[in-house]
Amino acid sequence: GDSVTQMEGPVTLSEEAFLTINCTYTATGYPSLFWYVQYPGEGLQLLLKATKADDKGSNKGFEATYRKETTSFHLEKGSVQVSDSAVYFCALRDDKIIFGKGTRLHILP
Amino acid sequence: DTAVSQTPKYLVTQMGNDKSIKCEQNLGHDTMYWYKQDSKKFLKIMFSYNNKELIINETVPNRFSPKSPDKAHLNLHINSLELGDSAVYFCASSPPTGDWDHTEAFFGQGTRLTVV
């Protein structure tokens, strides 16, 4: 069945560091891909999405490119802030929405 | 206006009790979901409904029974609550699968269920 694998955390970085959170997927069809973010005590918010191969999703300085050849959708940000501390989920949608296990990100001032 | 709202936000109850969590969406979406998030933040889909019809039931115990009175509402009823049911439950909604430009799900704020 479909699945999403993302790097385990926690990931701890200093402010202004470069961020990469790896995500790979397995799907029989051509899924849409997402990154969601969950701040402490809150629900999930869509951060960015890509619906077809080579699409790049971007939002709030975060980017991810849908790579069909490597079945990947890695999340990147050039300069992280303390306010980016949260749990990040990679997800795909085929007939249902499936999430990776989440990566907790800590940004130190 | 809240797009996906669920109530209550917190629920503390004793083992063996029956409880319900309500969910409503005002986005006009056809598809609604229930997810369970455990203490390690792992999100697992429980149910998916499309236009009031159950389309996904992910081997959830029979004690969990979703009910969709109309396509804007998907409630979750839990019988004979157990300690292991303690988790955060999220309701979500999304456009149907064929709407390729708008495929993402919108989530409620979650219901933290604690069984004591």
Side-chain angles (χ1 to χ4, degrees):
Chain A
D2 295 354
S3 66
V4 175
T5 303
Q6 62 182 102
M7 62 190 288
E8 298 207 8
V11 173
T12 302
L13 296 171
S14 297
E15 205 166 23
E16 298 184 4
F18 183 85
L19 168 71
T20 300
I21 301 178
N22 290 336
C23 172
T24 57
Y25 67 91
T26 303
T28 51
Y30 299 95
S32 294
L33 301 175
F34 313 94
W35 277 99
Y36 280 84
V37 59
Q38 186 178 28
Y39 298 103
E42 298 186 12
L44 277 76
Q45 302 173 26
L46 179 69
L47 180 60
L48 53 84
K49 69 177 182 181
T51 57
K52 60 183 186 296
D54 300 326
D55 269 2
K56 177 187 280 189
S58 60
N59 186 25
K60 299 181 181 179
F62 291 89
E63 294 182 340
T65 301
Y66 191 144
R67 301 284 187 202
K68 189 166 179 292
E69 63 276 13
T70 54
T71 61
S72 65
F73 193 55
H74 304 321
L75 182 68
E76 295 182 337
K77 185 174 185 181
S79 176
V80 293
Q81 306 301 313
V82 172
S83 57
D84 293 327
S85 297
V87 181
Y88 292 80
F89 293 91
C90 185
L92 68 81
R93 182 178 182 183
D94 206 341
D95 62 336
K96 59 188 175 187
I97 300 177
I98 295 172
F99 288 85
K101 292 189 175 181
T103 302
R104 188 181 297 275
L105 176 65
H106 295 292
I107 306 300
L108 303 175
Chain B
D1 283 344
T2 304
V4 181
S5 60
Q6 50 182 112
T7 55
K9 189 170 182 180
Y10 299 97
L11 185 53
V12 181
T13 188
Q14 290 187 326
M15 280 175 54
N17 284 351
D18 303 338
K19 290 293 179 184
S20 292
I21 306 172
K22 296 185 176 181
C23 179
E24 175 182 6
Q25 55 97 2
N26 62 6
L27 298 167
H29 290 161
D30 289 341
T31 306
M32 295 186 72
Y33 313 83
W34 277 107
Y35 284 86
K36 179 180 180 181
Q37 186 175 47
D38 63 22
S39 58
K40 295 183 179 179
K41 298 294 187 182
F42 183 52
L43 273 163
K44 184 174 170 58
I45 189 168
M46 300 173 69
F47 301 103
S48 175
Y49 269 70
N50 189 57
N51 274 323
K52 304 192 300 176
E53 299 290 327
L54 177 67
I55 55 173
I56 292 173
N57 180 343
E58 290 284 319
T59 55
V60 177
N62 291 338
R63 299 183 294 103
F64 291 80
S65 53
K67 286 191 170 49
S68 183
D70 55 63
K71 77 172 194 177
H73 295 84
L74 180 61
N75 303 322
L76 183 65
H77 189 75
I78 315 170
N79 289 327
S80 303
L81 277 155
E82 300 177 357
L83 292 177
D85 297 332
S86 296
V88 181
Y89 293 84
F90 286 100
C91 177
S93 73
S94 69
T97 309
D99 186 351
W100 296 111
D101 289 333
H102 303 93
T103 56
E104 67 269 25
F106 293 79
F107 282 77
Q109 289 300 296
T111 296
R112 181 174 295 277
L113 171 65
T114 304
V115 182
V116 297

